Amino acid sequence: LAAANVFPGDLFIKNFGVTRHDRVVFYDYDEVTLLTDCTFRTMPQSSLYDDEIAAQPWFSVRTTDVFPEEFRTFLWLPAPLREIFEREHGYLFTVDWWQQTQARIRAGEIMDIYPYGLEHRLHRQAG
């Protein structure tokens, strides 16, 4: 989705599924926005305990702000799956990856998205 300049918004695990052909699908389109319209930020750290336990954020948050380290909160995976997800896709919890992806899109790069691993793709024979 990110390579296609799509940000799903609601990253609840219930909004995703896997087809019988092992493809991941996304079901909830009401929060979809362009990835390039998002502002990816690192969660500010407070030195005050009261700020940390407050019901409302003690820092300003705009509607376009996204805090990737918070994605872990919404991806309620069982422990074994969480470990695999962290190992294989932990970069999704970093601001740098999202900002780099935005930069690539803004630069006009078309990112290849392959639905199958290299071992399952058709290969063209030379000649």
Side-chain angles (χ1 to χ4, degrees), residues 44-89:
Q45 298 298 313
S46 172
S47 58
L48 301 174
Y49 177 73
D50 288 342
D51 287 343
E52 295 294 329
I53 63 168
Q56 297 297 318
W58 53 271
F59 51 91
S60 66
V61 179
R62 295 178 304 267
T63 57
T64 58
D65 286 347
V66 179
F67 301 93
E69 66 257 46
E70 291 290 297
F71 294 168
R72 286 180 181 95
T73 304
F74 304 108
L75 296 173
W76 299 317
L77 297 170
L81 293 178
R82 189 177 325 119
E83 292 168 14
I84 293 168
F85 192 88
E86 285 273 353
R87 183 178 65 240
E88 299 295 324
H89 304 292

Side-chain angles (χ1 to χ4, degrees), residues 1-7 35 97-98 101 105 111:
L1 290 172
N5 197 22
V6 175
F7 185 73
L35 185 79
W97 186 84
W98 293 97
T101 302
I105 292 167
M111 292 175 254

